[in-house]
Amino acid sequence: MSGIYIHIPFCKQACYYCDFHFSTNMGKKEAMVLALIKELELRKEAFKDEVVETIYFGGGTPSVLSAAEIDQIIGAVYSNYTVVADPEITLEANPDDLSKDKIEELGKSPINRLSIGIQSFFEEDLKLMNRAHNAQEAEACIALAQVYFDNISIDLIYGIPGMTNERWISNIEKALAFGVPHISSYALTVEPKTALKTFIDKGLIPPVDDELAEAHFHILVQKLSAAGFVNYEISNFGKPGYFSRNNTAYWQGKKYLGIGPSAHSYDGVRRGWNINNNAKYIKAIAQNELPMETEVLSLTDRYNEYVMTGLRTIWGISLERIKTEFGHKFYTYLTQQAQKKIEDGLLYIENDRLLVSKKGKFLSDGIAADLFLVNLS
Ligand code: SF4
């Protein structure tokens, strides 16, 4: 089983914190759709033995596409790949695109999961992040989407400067009141070369406070667990039966094909990434060239990735898999490195799996980094 990720590199405006690849110039949208379809055709050989279980439109903002454009792209997946009978087909959507008509059209398309970029239900937070939607649109679009979609995920951001615990609790409670079955929630991070970084450096926006983010994370875990959500990956919470099949496959190291500028691919051995420039991408594809660089992952790279993703999920790190897939040297290294963390109550072993404890959860990326190997093969 494997997945196809399709990157739609357009956004109406730039959120201050964002370092994804996108353009606010929609002039090349039609040419981009044709290029995406052609890339799907060009790469079908590489996936000829695979069965596609999930199709994921990410971005950027995939909801800037019309339902007809989305249908065309999905049609190209079906004509060039083998797809399971019940694929999960997700579209990331922003509230300002989700008019009644648009949702109705999407409801008739093969899309069966919507991931809505709400981020906050409060005007202050949305303005500080320069989101394109307002608080009223955030609420209205969920109610509208629920008429056509059962499988809805919403994104929420915490640790925003000025966001009190009360406002964060209110955000979570609003999300719960809608009864959505999946929530993805991330701490606001300050990436290099973003407007947010510049504004913080100039003193125009207060710095992000790690302690506030940690407090918000603990509130999030407590409130969503009490409401019946499973925190199946550090930033993802789903009701049973609603875990993202796309993301789960990715965390479990399955193969995926990344289509579109800046999209990443993984075939079990090699990682590839497409050029992150819309014009160059369209030009290369028109010339039947794949504008992609690849690297073969070493055993150490694959071990480090497994440790990182494993510790972020409820499935943890299988010690048996470490032994069989990576060998005894890696197993010995991992168990030795983990010992101190186990003694400190940050990690524990259950059913031959190394897992992060409640105490260690917010720190899991740092804990994983301490278990990484630099040069052992
Ligand atoms: S809508 Fe998403 S991809 Fe576009 S700028 Fe905002 S965060 Fe980035």
Side-chain angles (χ1 to χ4, degrees):
M1 292 291 181
S2 50
I4 295 186
Y5 171 84
I6 299 158
H7 190 82
I8 308 300
F10 300 106
C11 292
K12 284 189 182 159
Q13 66 185 49
C15 302
Y16 289 156
Y17 58 90
C18 183
D19 71 343
F20 294 148
H21 170 65
F22 67 91
S23 164
T24 51
N25 177 356
M26 305 270 174
K28 292 193 164 57
K29 185 158 79 83
E30 277 175 35
M32 182 60 70
V33 170
L34 295 176
L36 296 172
I37 290 170
K38 189 156 175 203
E39 189 186 357
L40 281 164
E41 289 164 7
L42 291 173
R43 294 180 69 188
K44 67 180 175 187
E45 270 305 296
F47 242 46
K48 68 177 184 323
D49 299 326
E50 299 296 326
V51 178
V52 175
E53 195 188 2
T54 61
I55 302 169
Y56 191 99
F57 288 85
T61 311
S63 53
V64 299
L65 297 182
S66 67
E69 289 169 327
I70 293 166
D71 273 348
Q72 264 180 289
I73 298 170
I74 295 174
V77 173
Y78 275 89
S79 5
N80 292 290
Y81 299 84
T82 308
V83 182
V84 288
D86 63 337
E88 175 189 271
I89 309 184
T90 305
L91 182 90
E92 288 182 354
N94 278 347
D96 45 303
D97 290 323
L98 293 179
S99 64
K100 188 170 180 304
D101 288 349
K102 182 69 172 271
I103 291 177
E104 201 177 320
E105 274 182 28
L106 292 174
K108 291 181 198 148
S109 79
I111 301 290
N112 54 27
R113 183 171 183 270
L114 272 191
S115 171
I116 310 179
I118 300 291
Q119 316 310 355
S120 173
F121 291 102
F122 290 89
E123 214 59 54
E124 303 90 308
D125 301 328
L126 296 170
K127 287 215 167 88
L128 184 139
M129 297 187 288
N130 200 38
R131 295 291 304 184
H133 65 277
N134 59 36
Q136 190 269 331
E137 286 170 321
E139 297 205 25
C141 76
I142 302 178
L144 278 172
Q146 286 178 316
V147 177
Y148 297 93
F149 292 90
D150 147 62
N151 197 348
I152 294 175
S153 176
I154 65 170
D155 286 357
L156 292 175
I157 294 181
Y158 56 85
I160 299 170
M163 179 188 254
T164 58
N165 285 351
E166 289 66 37
R167 194 151 89 218
W168 176 232
I169 290 170
S170 195
N171 258 323
I172 299 170
E173 286 174 349
K174 276 177 193 273
L176 290 176
F178 279 106
V180 291
H182 190 278
I183 295 173
S184 297
S185 190
Y186 303 88
L188 183 69
T189 49
V190 185
E191 303 294 345
K193 296 187 191 153
T194 56
L196 181 63
K197 169 100 174 72
T198 307
F199 294 150
I200 290 176
D201 288 350
K202 287 185 176 167
L204 299 170
I205 290 180
V208 166
D209 174 349
D210 291 342
E211 280 177 23
L212 180 78
E214 185 167 355
H216 286 180
F217 177 73
H218 291 305
I219 292 170
L220 176 75
V221 172
Q222 189 273 322
K223 287 216 141 285
L224 294 190
S225 305
F229 285 80
V230 180
N231 188 194
Y232 66 106
E233 193 266 353
I234 186 163
S235 306
N236 284 276
F237 301 77
K239 288 272 177 77
Y242 287 95
F243 296 1
S244 160
R245 283 161 64 189
N246 174 76
N247 294 358
T248 303
Y250 167 74
W251 295 318
Q252 293 180 344
K254 297 198 180 156
K255 296 177 185 180
Y256 57 92
L257 200 64
I259 301 290
S262 83
H264 282 57
S265 303
Y266 178 61
D267 68 3
V269 181
R270 257 177 315 246
R271 185 169 34 207
W273 55 97
N274 282 352
I275 193 166
N276 60 356
N277 177 299
N278 289 2
K280 288 183 182 166
Y281 168 81
I282 290 170
K283 189 171 171 210
I285 294 289
Q287 293 166 349
N288 295 328
E289 283 166 16
L290 292 176
M292 180 169 47
E293 286 183 60
T294 56
E295 68 174 355
V296 175
L297 296 184
S298 67
L299 197 60
T300 303
D301 292 336
R302 285 196 281 121
Y303 161 86
N304 288 343
E305 268 193 24
Y306 179 48
V307 166
M308 171 65 101
T309 51
L311 278 194
R312 290 179 64 96
T313 68
I314 50 167
W315 301 286
I317 299 169
S318 158
L319 296 176
E320 184 56 34
R321 180 171 161 193
I322 294 286
K323 263 189 250 169
T324 54
E325 191 174 325
F326 301 97
H328 224 81
K329 267 198 291 188
F330 284 82
Y331 173 78
T332 307
Y333 178 82
L334 175 65
T335 46
Q336 279 173 355
Q337 291 297 110
Q339 194 50 44
K340 176 82 173 66
K341 311 277 181 202
I342 293 173
E343 284 161 18
D344 292 343
L346 299 170
L347 294 173
Y348 65 101
I349 294 177
E350 192 176 273
N351 297 330
D352 207 37
R353 286 183 173 265
L354 183 64
L355 297 144
V356 77
S357 68
K358 198 170 161 192
K359 182 179 166 193
K361 199 179 257 187
F362 188 71
L363 310 169
S364 60
D365 286 352
I367 296 171
D370 289 341
L371 307 180
F372 283 176
L373 258 166
V374 184
N375 262 325
L376 183 70
S377 51

